Amino acid sequence: MLNQSLRTPATTHAPIDPSSCSPAEQFFATTGHAGLIASEFTYKKEEEIYGEDEPSEYVYQVVSGAVRSYKLLSDGRRQIGAFYLPGDVFGLESGATHRLTAEAIVDTTVRLIKRRSLEQAAATDVNIARGLWSMTAGELRHAEDHMLLLGRKNAMERVANFLLEMDRRLAVAGMMALPMCRRDIGDYLGLTLETVSRALSQLQSKGILGFSGARQIELRNRAQLRNLDA
Amino acid sequence: MLNQSLRTPATTHAPIDPSSCSPAEQFFATTGHAGLIASEFTYKKEEEIYGEDEPSEYVYQVVSGAVRSYKLLSDGRRQIGAFYLPGDVFGLESGATHRLTAEAIVDTTVRLIKRRSLEQAAATDVNIARGLWSMTAGELRHAEDHMLLLGRKNAMERVANFLLEMDRRLAVAGMMALPMCRRDIGDYLGLTLETVSRALSQLQSKGILGFSGARQIELRNRAQLRNLDA
DNA sequence: CGACGGATTGATCGTGCTCAAATCATGTGG
DNA sequence: CCACATGATTTGAGCACGATCAATCCGTCG
């Protein structure tokens, strides 16, 4: 088990708090009990972690940093399916290959477990098997919500939804330090970066949020934001 | 165990062919070996099978007919996440409740298994547990592909993709008998019914497809259709 | 300090939506 | 069996939202 030095750039986030225990976050804890070895690894900003259709060899948990997971069309159009933040598990596949590409958005440290050893553990330990299933089900829930957003919500509703999601997942003391650029946000929300920027400016002018740097955002009126999110 | 008479309207499809065995289709076969009892039930056209946030009590397999699964916004905007056709399994949840509503599009017969008995079987039989996980993973794969469609494809690409998907899933002798109306297709593709209709007309005028009734479609040039689907 | 990438803002354009009307298909009752 | 009613589909005209193209502005890092 490697113990990496946490080089922490401005956009990187604090390591996982063991006291916050969502199903996904508890997962790697559970695997510990099952005698599974988790090692750590660090990816540079913009580095690919795995590619679409590559064999799935590992399951990952973000320790610090942030990851984007996306699909590309042949002409370069990109749809980001999910962002993974400290504590999140990603790269778990039931089939043999990854179906999206994963990249580090900023310098990112992950804990990782061999997929093979997980499969073996699941074959004997029903709790592990249940954990794998519910983790995939959690990703499906997110995808189902996101289909509604992409298919039926307008630009402001999408951006409001994004802000509330990020607030929930990475707010510290009422502030968010977004690790991703406007283009990433656009590619997550099915919008252009300009439309994202305009929506954010509009929210600022209404006093619903405040900036201290383009990626440091403070939500000043979550209730109003929830109204804007259909 | 109810044994319903199959009243088969024009838009309904033939019952499941036991020789075609996708993972999902094999599933109910597998559960048979595990001593699980599957009963049958028939829903009328437009009838709700389960609602969003209702407790998940059963898992379903379409025997004949067709089902739409969707989410609604408060103002009535609807996003259909998936259509389920003969052989397809739906309503499987890892959590306690359904996250989408399911409705019969036409008169539909389903086979069903108590969720509780499935959970019990999964607790002892690793193969069952594996089956549950891979079924949810299959739904996730579809949702990931659909997010790319909803977020980044234009109207013609979406419609071309839809036609190829339906062709693959329900074509008989080169013909498709679509069970759903244009509004359903629109709500699946994140478009209006008018835009769907215009795209289909355009494909007809190019000779890529032929109609015999608005819902009876013959694909005349699948290669060209694949080109149109980004 | 200068250079570079990221973000904002503006002007214009175009795809798909909205509103509306006509046409077609389906099923029902006389 | 036909006439009609009803809902589904098609088609048209105009509009609006978000995309595109372009020009600053800003922040960060060498």
Side-chain angles (χ1 to χ4, degrees), chain B residues 101-119:
Chain B
T101 301
E103 281 174 0
I105 297 176
V106 295
D107 291 1
T108 298
T109 298
V110 300
R111 201 176 303 160
L112 41 82
I113 294 184
K114 275 213 152 64
R115 174 207 158 84
R116 216 180 130 43
S117 65
L118 257 188
E119 295 266 18

Side-chain angles (χ1 to χ4, degrees), chain A residues 16 24-25 27-28 38-43 48-51 54-63 67 84-85 87-93 98 100 102 108-115 118 135 139:
Chain A
I16 307 156
E25 292 174 26
F27 175 67
F28 270 63
S39 42
E40 290 198 347
F41 194 79
T42 297
Y43 294 91
E48 180 173 307
I49 300 171
Y50 53 76
E54 273 182 18
S56 150
E57 232 192 307
Y58 296 99
V59 178
Y60 306 79
Q61 183 182 38
V62 179
V63 174
V67 172
Y84 299 106
L85 304 174
D88 295 342
V89 174
F90 68 99
L92 174 63
E93 301 288 345
H98 291 291
L100 294 86
T108 297
T109 298
V110 299
R111 200 175 302 160
L112 42 82
I113 294 184
K114 276 213 153 65
R115 174 207 159 85
L118 258 187
M135 211 124 54
E139 294 232 71

Side-chain angles (χ1 to χ4, degrees), chain A residues 94-165:
Chain A
S94 166
T97 59
H98 291 291
R99 289 180 317 271
L100 294 86
T101 301
E103 282 174 359
I105 297 175
V106 295
D107 290 0
T108 297
T109 298
V110 299
R111 200 175 302 160
L112 42 82
I113 294 184
K114 276 213 153 65
R115 174 207 159 85
R116 215 179 130 43
S117 66
L118 258 187
E119 295 267 17
Q120 287 173 339
T124 54
D125 184 339
V126 176
N127 292 320
I128 298 279
R130 194 52 163 95
L132 297 178
W133 180 26
S134 66
M135 211 124 54
T136 297
E139 294 232 71
L140 177 58
R141 174 177 319 133
H142 180 267
E144 288 163 343
D145 292 341
H146 211 57
M147 285 193 287
L148 176 62
L149 178 148
L150 293 171
R152 289 304 180 207
K153 292 188 182 178
N154 67 30
M156 186 53 82
E157 290 167 346
R158 295 180 199 205
V159 171
N161 182 281
F162 171 78
L163 289 169
L164 290 166
E165 180 188 353

Side-chain angles (χ1 to χ4, degrees), chain B residues 134-152:
Chain B
S134 67
M135 212 122 56
T136 297
E139 294 234 71
L140 177 58
R141 175 176 317 132
H142 180 269
E144 287 162 343
D145 291 341
H146 212 57
M147 285 192 286
L148 176 61
L149 178 148
L150 293 171
R152 289 305 181 206

Side-chain angles (χ1 to χ4, degrees), chain B residues 3-4 13 15 43 47 51 64 70 77 88 95 112 121-122 134 143 145 147 149 159 187 189 192 223:
Chain B
N3 210 339
Q4 90 305 346
H13 301 84
Y43 295 91
E47 194 177 346
S64 67
Y70 63 86
R77 281 174 289 173
D88 295 341
L112 41 82
S134 67
D145 291 341
M147 285 192 286
L149 178 148
V159 171
D187 285 351
L189 298 179
T192 60

